[in-house]
Amino acid sequence: DIVMTQSPDSLAVSLGERATISCKSSQSVLFSSNNKNSLAWYQQKPGQPPKLLIYWASIRESGVPDRFIGSGSGTDFTLTISSLQAEDVAAYFCQQYNTSPPTFGQGTKLEIK
Amino acid sequence: EMQLVQSGAAVKKPGESLKISCKGSGYRFDNYWISWVRQMPGKGLQWMGSIYPGDSETRHSPSFQGQVTISADKSIDTAYLQWHSLKASDTGTYYCARHVVIRSAFDTWGQGTMVTVSS
C-alpha cells in the first residue's frame, strides 16, 4: 500500500496568516494516462463528514474558496490556505487514489493561534 | 442536489450482525462508484471497499476482505455495508462516499453512521 505522511500533525496559525500542510507519498502517484497526480485534499470539521477541497493535486472543487491552493507533484504535495479564516478550523487529510487501495494521510489539525 | 443519506447510529453486542445503508439522490446512482470509509474514534480515514451499483462490481481492501460484505440495490439507489459477527474493534463511524471512476477523488460523502460494539 502507498503510505501517505502528513506534517505537521497539528498547526496553529493566526487569522489572516498563511497555513501550509505537507503530504508525502511513499511512491509516485502520477497517473500516466493523463499525466496528472492522483492526490486529493479533504477538510473535516468536528462532527461532519470529510469535504473534498482539491483533486488532481491542484484543481479546486466547485465552491471551494480560492484561498485553498493545492500544489506539488510526484511524491511531495502541499495544501496552502493563503489567508486563514475562522471557518477553516478543521482537520485536513490528503488521499492518493492512483493505486488500490486508496490511502489517506493521518490528518493535520488546524487551529487558530 | 447530490446527496448520500446514511442509516442511523447503531449499538450492538459482539457477535451480532449489522447492515447499514447509504441512499443516493440527485444523480444517476448506478453510474458512480460508492466507497465505504471507516473512521475510528479520534483517528484517520481507512478505505474499506467500493461497489459500482450499475453491475455490482466490487473491490475490497485486503484489510477488510472477509470481514464485511458490500452490496447495492440499484432499483432503490442504495448501497450497503454488512457485518455478520461484530467485534469491539469495529466501533467507529462509517462513511459512504461517491466517486465517478474507480481512480478518482470522493466528491460527495454521506453524513456518517456511528457504530458502537460493546458488551
Side-chain angles (χ1 to χ4, degrees):
Chain A
D1 297 3
I2 295 179
V3 177
M4 307 298 290
T5 304
Q6 291 181 228
S7 61
D9 289 335
S10 62
L11 180 63
V13 175
S14 300
L15 289 173
E17 295 300 303
R18 179 186 303 252
T20 302
I21 299 170
S22 171
C23 174
K24 295 184 188 295
S25 58
S26 60
Q27 56 187 271
S28 173
V29 298
L30 181 67
F31 187 34
S32 55
S33 296
N34 63 8
N35 204 37
K36 294 181 178 180
N37 290 279
S38 307
L39 192 286
W41 288 97
Y42 299 88
Q43 176 193 64
Q44 186 178 30
K45 296 182 179 180
Q48 295 186 20
K51 172 189 172 186
L52 178 64
L53 297 176
I54 303 281
Y55 59 98
W56 294 124
S58 62
I59 301 176
R60 264 187 301 275
E61 176 74 330
S62 175
V64 173
D66 60 8
R67 64 180 180 273
F68 291 93
I69 302 163
S71 62
S73 65
T75 61
D76 292 289
F77 301 90
T78 301
L79 174 68
T80 300
I81 306 172
S82 60
S83 176
L84 190 71
Q85 306 299 304
E87 61 265 31
D88 300 335
V89 169
Y92 292 84
F93 296 91
C94 61
Q95 178 213 19
Q96 70 79 21
Y97 48 90
N98 195 58
T99 304
S100 188
T103 47
F104 295 85
Q106 79 278 15
T108 294
K109 190 173 181 180
L110 177 58
E111 299 172 327
I112 304 293
K113 187 187 289 183
Chain B
E1 178 197 3
M2 295 174 297
Q3 208 173 0
L4 294 172
V5 178
Q6 298 184 228
S7 48
V11 179
K12 292 289 190 177
K13 291 181 166 46
E16 292 186 332
S17 63
L18 175 65
K19 190 174 188 177
I20 63 176
S21 66
C22 169
K23 183 173 175 60
S25 62
Y27 73 99
R28 182 77 185 267
F29 186 76
D30 56 357
N31 276 5
Y32 288 79
W33 287 82
I34 293 287
S35 275
W36 288 95
V37 177
R38 180 174 80 175
Q39 188 167 39
M40 298 174 79
K43 301 295 184 184
L45 303 163
Q46 294 175 279
W47 178 77
M48 303 175 71
S50 305
I51 189 164
Y52 187 74
D55 61 7
S56 291
E57 179 182 352
T58 308
R59 310 281 178 92
H60 283 88
S61 165
S63 299
F64 293 92
Q65 181 93 43
Q67 308 304 307
V68 295
T69 301
I70 295 171
S71 61
D73 183 343
K74 65 181 181 180
S75 70
I76 55 171
D77 296 343
T78 301
Y80 301 97
L81 180 65
Q82 182 174 17
W83 294 260
H84 296 288
S85 181
L86 285 158
K87 302 185 287 285
S89 57
D90 292 318
T91 294
T93 298
Y94 293 84
Y95 295 100
C96 61
R98 184 190 88 151
H99 45 120
V100 63
V101 294
I102 192 62
R103 278 176 162 180
S104 59
F106 300 172
D107 64 9
T108 303
W109 292 66
Q111 83 277 19
T113 296
M114 187 177 298
V115 174
T116 303
V117 184
S118 175
S119 54

